[in-house]
Amino acid sequence: MNLVIDIGNTLIKYAVFENGSMIYNHSFESVLFLSKIKELFEKYPRINKAILSSVGKLDRKERDVVALFCKVHVLSSDSKMPFKNSYATPQTLGVDRLALAAAAYYQNPRGNTLVIDAGTCITYDMVNNAGEYVGGAISPGIRMRYRAMHEQTAGLPLLSPDELLDFIGNSTETCMHSGVINGVAQEVDGVIGQYRSRFQHLTVILTGGDSHFFAKRLKNTIFANSKFLLEGLNCLLEYNTN
């Protein structure tokens, strides 16, 4: 059994894989790390290797806790990748984006794949049909946009993401929701259009915690997969330990 752990900006997510299939996944706040890991290994004592991925600086204690139970691989720019990485500064490429690229490569090895991850930031990552990671883009996520409007103006409130009833707002709050939710949907559609104009037969994967806010508003055909990053981490764990 494999354990994959994704330490994000807001939550820690983990999943257990057996023979390539995800059999369990959960998310929790970082303060619960020790207790959650102990509970997990009590439930799945046959886990024998794990991979840790952190978008920030990984605390040594987190690695050491997992290492008490099994072998641990910490994902970094030095990890082996199954695809060709053509990023100009590979040492600055986030490990979350490496995992998404790996998932794209394994799930569509002879195709062009664009992965869009709607989290704290919205990232776009492209793997072409030659098995080459060519780069992408980083854009502010929806909560970041709400916070920017509140913090950079004198009168706009701090809102939480909400469903959009109409793209024409008729109050300050509904105008802000339209600007963020509808604006992101239009942005994503536009970016997909740019990639489709360059890459034939493009497969688009949408993932991330905020993807549900605009997935149904996209005009382009996409495949939604909320567990795509975790699947990529499992692929990289296998690739780096076998």
Side-chain angles (χ1 to χ4, degrees):
M1 283 186 175
N2 294 350
L3 170 62
V4 305
I5 303 175
D6 169 36
I7 303 175
N9 290 299
T10 55
L11 291 174
I12 295 176
K13 303 173 185 176
Y14 61 59
V16 178
F17 287 80
E18 185 172 26
N19 299 322
S21 297
M22 185 185 301
I23 61 173
Y24 179 78
N25 72 92
H26 189 56
S27 61
F28 56 90
E29 296 179 353
S30 59
V31 293
L32 301 174
F33 189 85
L34 177 59
S35 62
K36 290 295 184 181
I37 292 300
K38 289 175 65 177
E39 290 176 8
L40 182 69
F41 277 93
E42 289 173 359
K43 185 175 183 179
Y44 297 101
R46 293 194 296 114
I47 294 173
N48 60 359
K49 57 186 176 181
I51 186 168
L52 268 68
S53 167
S54 176
V55 295
K57 185 177 180 180
L58 180 68
D59 288 339
R60 186 181 181 90
K61 63 180 181 180
E62 293 167 338
R63 184 194 66 186
D64 290 347
V65 165
V66 181
L68 290 172
F69 300 94
C70 68
K71 295 180 180 178
V72 180
H73 178 81
V74 178
L75 185 62
S76 72
S77 58
D78 295 325
S79 299
K80 295 188 299 181
M81 295 294 144
F83 51 85
K84 178 184 177 182
N85 190 348
S86 294
Y87 207 61
T89 55
Q91 69 279 3
T92 69
L93 182 60
V95 290
D96 53 336
R97 299 177 71 190
L98 288 172
L100 293 170
Y105 174 81
Y106 277 107
Q107 294 202 19
N108 193 22
R110 294 179 179 83
N112 292 312
T113 308
L114 174 65
V115 184
I116 304 170
D117 184 6
T120 302
C121 288
I122 301 171
T123 59
Y124 302 82
D125 292 290
M126 180 69 206
V127 179
N128 66 21
N129 56 11
E132 177 186 17
Y133 175 79
V134 297
I138 305 173
S139 178
I142 61 176
R143 285 171 175 78
M144 197 179 294
R145 298 179 196 219
Y146 281 114
R147 190 167 64 249
M149 286 193 287
H150 170 65
E151 294 177 355
Q152 301 298 320
T153 66
L156 293 179
L158 178 60
L159 302 181
S160 296
D162 199 2
E163 290 296 331
L164 188 65
L165 298 178
D166 192 358
F167 71 91
I168 301 177
N170 63 359
S171 68
T172 297
E173 291 193 1
T174 55
C175 283
M176 292 174 67
H177 286 310
S178 177
V180 174
I181 304 300
N182 185 58
V184 169
Q186 297 298 318
E187 172 191 309
V188 172
D189 260 330
V191 171
I192 293 173
Q194 287 181 312
Y195 278 82
R196 287 201 191 281
S197 68
R198 182 173 298 185
F199 298 96
Q200 293 185 339
H201 309 297
L202 182 69
T203 296
V204 181
I205 307 293
L206 179 64
T207 190
D210 290 334
S211 58
H212 63 284
F213 281 108
F214 53 90
K216 61 187 177 184
R217 295 182 172 86
L218 297 179
K219 297 176 183 177
N220 282 278
T221 301
I222 60 167
F223 296 95
N225 184 344
S226 61
K227 306 298 189 296
F228 204 63
L229 191 149
L230 297 173
E231 293 170 0
L233 286 175
N234 187 58
C235 292
L236 287 177
L237 175 58
E238 289 292 325
Y239 192 74
N240 279 272
T241 56
N242 287 342

